[in-house]
Amino acid sequence: MAILKGGVIAISVGNLLCQKLRIPHYQRPYSWEPATALQLLDDIREAMEDSDLHNVPYVLGAVILHNTSQSLDVVDGQQRLLTLHLILLLLTHAEESTQHADVDNPIGRVRLALRQRITALQEHQRDALSEFIRNRCELIRIETDDVDEAFRVFDSQNYRGKPLAPHDLLKAHHLREMGDESDAMKAAIVEAWESVKDEELDRLFSIYLYRIARWSRGEAAPRFTVQDIGLFKGISPKSSRSPSSRYHIAAQVAIPMLNTWGASISQCNDRDANRSRFQLDAPLLVGRPFFEMVAFMLTELRQLAREGFAGQRTKFSFYNVDAEKDQNSDVLNERPSQSRYRYVSELYLAALLYYTNKFGDEDLTTARDQLFAWAYALRVELLRVQFRSIDNHARGDQSTISPFALLRHAESGRVVRQLATSINPYNDSHETELVTLLKN
């Protein structure tokens, strides 16, 4: 499975739009701003004027398509194709009223801006521009019957577009694994995913889940990229054959039933039940469980931020956790004014997430104190804290112990008491309030 023979060709916009194209579930909604769409229109008009002297096609970049045998799924180029389609419609029906256009969504705003620009053209100018786009503008059409191959050749610098982030590719991977789920379920999952801000999803994966996965193995955690998504692809009951995979599949199937049974005879709540189900050290089942894990982890992060930075620790948090309006917020808001605490706040919250994921509320008061002191020691010992500082601190070495390494193989949360708690300030006037809190 690879790029099909003859699968890379130059094709006119008109011919491409006549093909059976489909926007798959995993693609993000239309998100171009009016300025971007207007720039595309202006670029095309300028190219049309130049083409009067130079009879060459105007190439608008590449489009990557996945041939599913039923349709051609657009892997890359969706925003551009939809905008071109909209421009052609307006060139043909420019006089139609937009009085009731929905300007509360991106495509409505783009349509209104394009229409205002296009209606200013003479009819013969609109006809000429339409003919030029359909027949003289070209796209490089890349077709493959392997969707993974399509993502590998994905043009991350597409024309004025926003490239798919690693979490977008994970969304695509797990949606493809939901073949047995109903369309209604898939639509609900996509709607829930899209209701979360892109920044929230990026933070969950790149700052917390990815770093925890690497640090717990004693490895550096550089920037989360598409090369790292294998960490979260999960295991499939259909293709996994190893004893280890079968064990984890059986555990994932059994845990919800055990949680339901255990709730009637113990104090096990939904939060602990989900911690049991979504263990950060264990592989996840592909498909729907992935999306359920993401929903839980987003909620867990927000809750831990409020709990972990309560009391005197609040003023040293990079996150806004003390304002009344944010107590029930679905978003973890940042405080740029406290950016000097950004890296240590992230380090502390990552350690706290890992701890509670394994041991819940066991010895939690002591654990919070120990993990806070361990993470924030960097802030008082160094004049400047950079990512490299926390990366080295989190991995640990022969001279320092990392809670991530301790917790990975621990049988009790009391293991964090082994963390060093000595405080060595950079100088007598550096972070005096924080030094006092840590020493107390």
Side-chain angles (χ1 to χ4, degrees):
M1 297 286 186
I3 294 175
L4 299 175
K5 184 178 180 180
V8 181
I9 60 171
I11 185 172
S12 69
V13 170
N15 285 336
L16 181 59
L17 291 178
C18 286
Q19 297 182 354
K20 194 175 181 181
L21 303 178
R22 186 180 77 99
I23 306 299
H25 288 299
Y26 54 77
Q27 285 286 18
R28 63 167 59 89
Y30 187 85
S31 60
W32 270 18
E33 294 294 328
T36 308
L38 290 172
Q39 185 64 59
L40 174 60
L41 178 62
D42 291 342
D43 289 348
I44 293 173
R45 291 184 64 194
E46 183 179 337
M48 183 175 70
E49 294 172 3
D50 291 341
S51 72
D52 292 339
L53 299 175
H54 308 285
N55 189 22
V56 294
Y58 181 51
V59 180
L60 293 170
V63 173
I64 301 175
L65 306 175
H66 170 218
N67 190 330
T68 67
S69 75
Q70 284 83 33
S71 63
L72 292 169
D73 283 1
V74 180
V75 174
D76 182 36
Q78 174 208 175
Q79 310 281 330
R80 205 172 343 138
L81 287 175
L82 288 174
T83 306
L84 288 168
H85 180 63
L86 187 55
I87 290 172
L88 289 171
L89 285 176
L90 289 169
L91 286 169
T92 306
H93 308 286
E95 304 304 328
E96 288 186 355
S97 172
T98 58
Q99 182 177 358
H100 303 293
D102 184 4
V103 294
D104 291 331
N105 62 65
I107 201 163
R109 292 191 292 271
V110 165
R111 184 179 189 276
L112 185 60
L114 287 172
R115 180 184 177 277
Q116 291 172 344
R117 183 71 58 87
I118 288 172
T119 52
L121 301 176
Q122 299 294 322
E123 186 176 352
H124 72 277
Q125 292 176 312
R126 294 200 295 266
D127 292 341
L129 184 56
S130 178
E131 191 278 335
F132 179 77
I133 293 174
R134 292 181 187 278
N135 301 315
R136 299 281 298 283
C137 289
E138 292 185 349
L139 292 154
I140 305 302
R141 179 183 181 278
I142 304 172
E143 180 185 346
T144 173
D145 60 355
D146 183 344
V147 72
D148 290 326
E149 178 73 13
F151 284 123
R152 282 193 290 271
V153 299
F154 167 64
D155 178 14
S156 63
Q157 299 299 321
N158 57 18
Y159 182 85
R160 300 186 187 280
K162 182 180 179 182
L164 291 175
H167 59 261
D168 289 314
L169 300 185
L170 284 169
K171 168 191 169 187
H173 168 75
H174 288 282
L175 275 174
R176 292 198 305 272
E177 295 290 340
M178 291 178 60
D180 296 335
E181 300 279 0
S182 67
D183 288 342
M185 176 57 69
K186 293 178 185 177
I189 282 175
V190 170
E191 183 179 358
W193 179 280
E194 296 297 345
S195 69
V196 181
K197 288 186 176 181
D198 223 36
E199 295 81 359
E200 285 276 290
L201 291 167
D202 178 65
R203 175 166 52 201
L204 173 66
F205 282 97
S206 63
I207 295 179
Y208 293 104
L209 301 186
Y210 169 66
R211 290 180 183 177
I212 290 171
R214 299 278 297 185
W215 288 339
S216 63
R217 302 172 187 175
E219 300 171 348
R223 188 171 64 91
F224 182 50
T225 70
V226 295
Q227 307 301 322
D228 304 305
I229 63 176
L231 287 169
F232 307 105
K233 279 192 169 183
I235 52 178
S236 171
K238 297 178 181 178
S239 59
S240 299
R241 296 290 182 268
S242 69
S244 175
S245 295
R246 291 199 298 270
Y247 168 81
H248 287 293
I249 291 169
Q252 285 290 320
V253 172
I255 283 174
M257 294 186 292
L258 290 173
N259 286 335
T260 301
W261 171 76
S264 62
I265 59 174
S266 71
Q267 298 302 312
C268 180
N269 54 38
D270 289 342
R271 192 177 183 186
D272 276 344
N274 280 320
R275 286 167 172 166
S276 299
R277 185 181 177 197
F278 304 122
Q279 281 290 290
L280 293 174
D281 288 336
L284 188 70
L285 287 189
V286 296
R288 184 175 170 182
F290 167 80
F291 296 99
E292 293 170 340
M293 179 276 291
V294 169
F296 168 69
M297 289 298 174
L298 285 169
T299 302
E300 182 76 344
L301 263 181
R302 297 164 193 146
Q303 199 162 339
L304 284 176
R306 290 192 287 268
E307 297 168 353
F309 289 107
Q312 291 180 294
R313 289 189 283 261
T314 299
K315 65 174 66 177
F316 305 109
S317 171
F318 178 57
Y319 298 115
N320 193 4
V321 295
D322 60 336
E324 288 186 10
K325 65 178 182 179
D326 288 330
Q327 287 301 306
N328 298 312
S329 174
D330 288 335
V331 178
L332 192 56
N333 293 311
E334 297 174 351
R335 296 193 293 178
S337 62
Q338 297 293 77
S339 59
R340 69 184 185 277
Y341 298 121
R342 172 190 171 185
Y343 286 123
V344 290
S345 290
E346 292 170 351
L347 181 62
Y348 167 55
L349 193 51
L352 191 58
L353 176 61
Y354 194 37
Y355 178 93
T356 54
N357 182 254
K358 292 184 75 75
F359 299 110
D361 295 336
E362 176 189 328
D363 207 21
L364 186 54
T365 301
T366 299
R368 276 197 293 253
D369 289 342
Q370 294 285 134
L371 295 174
F372 184 86
W374 169 82
Y376 275 74
L378 285 177
R379 180 62 274 173
V380 302
E381 292 172 0
L382 302 175
L383 183 61
R384 292 184 61 198
V385 177
Q386 299 176 314
F387 174 72
R388 181 177 295 180
S389 308
I390 67 160
D391 193 38
N392 290 334
H393 198 51
R395 283 190 292 160
D397 54 32
Q398 294 180 347
S399 60
T400 60
I401 300 176
S402 162
F404 297 96
L406 283 175
L407 290 169
R408 184 175 179 85
H409 303 292
E411 295 182 0
S412 167
R414 294 174 64 86
V415 71
V416 296
R417 294 171 184 247
Q418 299 177 26
L419 294 174
T421 56
S422 58
I423 304 300
N424 303 298
Y426 180 78
N427 59 43
D428 292 340
S429 60
H430 180 60
E431 294 286 353
T432 53
E433 281 190 274
L434 179 57
V435 169
T436 301
L437 174 61
L438 294 179
K439 287 185 175 180
N440 288 338

